Amino acid sequence: MNASETALLQDRMASAAAWVSPAFERLKCDDACTSRLPSLASYSLEGGGKRIRPFLVRAACASGGTDPSRSLPAAAAVEMIHTYSLIHDDLPAMDNDDTRRGRPSLHRHASPAQAVLAGGWLLSEAFSELLRTPLPPASISQMVQRLAKAAGASFLVGGQYMDIHPPASASRAWVESMIGGKTAAMIRVSLELGAIAGGCGRDVVSAVSRLGDRLGHLFQLTDDILDVTGTMEELGKQVSKDSALGKANLVSLSGLESARAKAEALSGELDAALAALPGDWIDVRLLARYLPQRRS
Ligand code: GRG
């Protein structure tokens, strides 16, 4: 990927981040809320995340020329669930990370109990937010079902459960299944919700669902590569955690060079498959092309 394409992607990502952020303001204005929950949730929501999932929602919605504002509640909802999952993942009882995005993780900034509650609140608020989607009830119902499934026991929570309770010797199939839940489901559902909001037909939604799962695997592959090649400054969190804990991941299974080659191959496959979809998927194609070279 050349420098001008990288600059274009950075510009598109910055624009998606600026687009979704005002949707989080509503959480601060709950008059009935006398607790610190709004400021705790804002601390994590506004902590400098890349906003990849809202970017994907918006890109999928706009692929057929639809006004992306229709997908704003969905974009905010997926980022709220992603943020809750990071807050809970960092807790001492889970991954026990004191740093997130270069700042104290929420349980260090506040307390573990407050982090549990702020995460739980974000999960429920995500669904309230999604219900604000300006589309007919049947479309909203489909979106709610997909998001609930992606966030639940078969995917996000289930994948995290696998991560926390690995077998003595993890097979590639086990690692792939964990990634399908822990990482890929939220990336996949971001594209699905955007495509539904954009009015894409059923076959396009199914196609982007498959591609979203592959994109999620590519994202995790590059995350595992960065776990051994990145620095704390680049990533804003502890590095080499998986290797230090002896955890199986895509790099430990194949070795660094093979993982890099796989990332390049998957990136090329995704680029070609996205180019063959009806509509304009250039933003998602740029992301797929960029991922093998990402440093954060
Ligand atoms: C606690 C239910 C529950 C799930 C936790 C998020 C997660 C599942 C685990 C975090 C560990 C991890 C590295 C997951 C892999 C991919 C991932 C979600 C990375 C972080 O996403 P980015 O890079 O984060 O998009 P930013 O900070 O940019 O938002």
Side-chain angles (χ1 to χ4, degrees):
M1 180 163 174
N2 62 37
S4 72
E5 286 173 337
T6 307
L8 177 61
L9 176 64
Q10 276 166 353
D11 186 58
R12 305 292 302 147
M13 289 195 58
S15 149
W19 169 76
V20 74
S21 292
F24 304 130
E25 289 297 308
R26 198 177 52 78
L27 294 181
K28 295 182 191 160
C29 308
D30 190 343
D31 290 342
C33 195
T34 52
S35 68
R36 272 185 79 197
L37 283 169
S39 75
L40 296 172
S42 297
Y43 175 85
S44 291
L45 273 171
E46 289 161 12
K50 296 182 287 298
R51 310 287 201 216
I52 283 176
R53 294 150 193 84
F55 166 84
L56 291 172
V57 174
R58 186 169 92 148
C61 181
S63 66
T66 304
D67 174 2
S69 66
R70 277 200 202 178
S71 66
L72 184 54
V78 294
E79 190 67 7
M80 285 180 196
I81 292 187
H82 166 62
T83 302
Y84 123 73
S85 78
L86 295 179
I87 295 170
H88 281 196
D89 182 65
D90 288 339
L91 285 166
M94 295 232 196
D95 228 23
N96 195 17
D97 265 312
D98 285 348
T99 316
R100 168 69 58 188
R101 299 164 174 161
R103 301 188 309 165
S105 16
L106 188 59
H107 67 273
R108 298 292 296 172
H109 169 73
S111 70
Q114 285 169 318
V116 168
L117 294 171
W121 185 50
L122 280 172
L123 174 60
S124 62
E125 278 301 319
F127 287 95
S128 301
E129 184 63 34
L130 186 55
L131 289 169
R132 301 163 78 94
T133 300
L135 282 174
S139 305
I140 298 180
S141 158
Q142 216 193 114
M143 293 166 100
V144 167
Q145 280 178 32
R146 285 181 188 257
L147 186 58
K149 191 161 183 199
S154 302
F155 292 99
L156 180 63
V157 170
Q160 179 74 351
Y161 188 93
M162 291 174 80
D163 190 30
I164 303 282
H165 301 93
S169 169
S171 64
R172 174 170 293 277
W174 184 91
V175 171
E176 298 269 353
S177 164
M178 174 191 67
I179 293 167
K182 182 181 86 163
T183 309
M186 289 305 295
I187 289 182
R188 169 174 55 73
V189 80
S190 299
L191 286 176
E192 290 173 5
L193 299 191
I196 294 169
C200 292
R202 200 180 286 183
D203 43 348
V204 175
V205 176
S206 301
V208 297
S209 178
R210 278 192 305 278
L211 295 179
D213 179 64
R214 301 317 298 152
L215 187 66
H217 277 75
L218 173 59
F219 188 80
Q220 185 63 55
L221 188 50
T222 58
D223 209 69
D224 291 348
I225 292 171
L226 282 174
D227 188 57
V228 285
T229 63
T231 64
M232 174 122 181
E233 289 68 40
E234 285 170 330
L235 299 177
K237 61 176 185 179
Q238 262 181 281
V239 291
S240 303
K241 276 208 80 177
D242 282 1
S243 39
L245 295 170
K247 272 190 179 179
N249 67 25
L250 294 169
V251 170
S252 73
L253 283 175
S254 337
L256 184 57
E257 282 323 306
S258 162
R260 281 188 168 131
K262 281 192 175 135
E264 287 294 348
L266 187 48
S267 160
E269 281 166 30
L270 277 164
D271 189 21
L274 287 160
L277 284 180
D280 177 1
W281 293 86
I282 188 61
D283 284 359
V284 188
R285 292 180 62 195
L286 287 172
L287 179 68
R289 282 191 226 159
Y290 168 76
L291 283 176
Q293 69 194 55
R294 79 180 172 110
R295 296 300 307 164
S296 67

